[in-house]
Amino acid sequence: MTVLAQAAPQSQDVPDAARENLVDLIQRLSEPPEPAPIAMTPQTPGWLVLGGFFLVLVSWLLWRWLDLRRRNAYRRAALAELERAKSDPAQIAEILRRTALAAYPREQVAGLSGSPWLEFLDNCGAGVLFGETVGQELLVAPYRKDAPASVDLFNAAEQWVRKHRVEKGSPSRARFRRRQEAVT
């Protein structure tokens, strides 16, 4: 132990220049260099493939939404006309007929009248039924003048316009598409 005690200099033996304190040493430190900026572009091709797939997916979804919106334009027009003709059963009957002609082939719809017309509406309406009173009101509406429509007739017509379904392979879809392409 005496050897170590002799080897360590005593504070009295150290010159003044070597007696710097810790604060002076910290102030002499230099700032570290700034790191290189991180690139924000993907570094691997997998991210580019994923980004391309996402872009294609979003484009396809947008195209499908616009196509569906275009195909259902006749529904929106029919609903707007129904709102204007809320209390006129003759206009409601006419709107239903025009909506059916827009959605289904003319050969299937144009010749229907009476109970076959009501059966067609019931079959295509996805649960909307034109029962005894509503159906009879719909059938005699074009021949009556100034007869107010019942709320049931308006509600049934509105639900039918909203819910009727056209089969995927239906010729009316192709006809409707050709008609829209001719317009644009």
Side-chain angles (χ1 to χ4, degrees):
M1 183 153 195
T2 57
V3 175
L4 285 176
Q6 290 175 357
Q10 298 295 326
S11 62
Q12 298 157 352
D13 298 339
V14 178
D16 287 337
R19 275 196 205 167
E20 295 182 50
N21 61 13
L22 186 58
V23 174
D24 294 336
L25 290 174
I26 289 175
Q27 288 177 353
R28 274 201 243 162
L29 289 175
S30 63
E31 290 291 321
E34 279 195 32
I38 297 173
M40 296 305 286
T41 58
Q43 301 296 314
T44 59
W47 285 109
L48 294 175
V49 170
L50 187 64
F53 175 74
F54 182 72
L55 184 64
V56 167
L57 178 68
V58 167
S59 300
W60 181 77
L61 288 173
L62 180 65
W63 176 79
R64 290 284 299 174
W65 179 76
L66 289 173
D67 185 49
L68 182 66
R69 184 160 172 76
R70 181 185 53 81
R71 280 189 283 139
N72 286 326
Y74 75 96
R75 288 181 200 256
R76 289 190 305 277
L79 288 171
E81 287 184 37
L82 273 174
E83 281 298 319
R84 286 191 295 270
K86 211 170 208 172
S87 63
D88 187 4
Q91 283 185 342
I92 291 174
E94 180 184 344
I95 292 167
L96 278 175
R97 179 72 66 166
R98 282 187 294 154
T99 303
L101 284 170
Y104 298 96
R106 182 170 294 280
E107 301 82 30
Q108 186 179 356
V109 176
L112 296 176
S113 63
S115 61
W117 169 241
L118 294 178
E119 287 175 18
F120 171 79
L121 291 174
D122 288 344
N123 291 336
C124 300
V128 179
L129 297 177
F130 289 86
E132 292 287 324
T133 57
V134 175
Q136 289 306 313
E137 186 177 356
L138 184 65
L139 291 179
V140 297
Y143 308 109
R144 280 193 176 163
K145 293 214 182 234
D146 301 326
S150 69
V151 176
D152 293 337
L153 175 62
F154 175 77
N155 290 338
E158 183 181 33
Q159 289 303 313
W160 189 87
V161 169
R162 287 182 193 280
K163 292 184 176 184
H164 73 273
R165 296 288 174 241
V166 181
E167 297 83 31
K168 248 186 177 178
S170 172
S172 65
R173 284 187 180 237
R175 185 188 75 216
F176 184 72
R177 186 163 293 188
R178 284 193 305 270
R179 188 183 311 152
Q180 289 298 325
E181 288 171 358
V183 170
T184 56

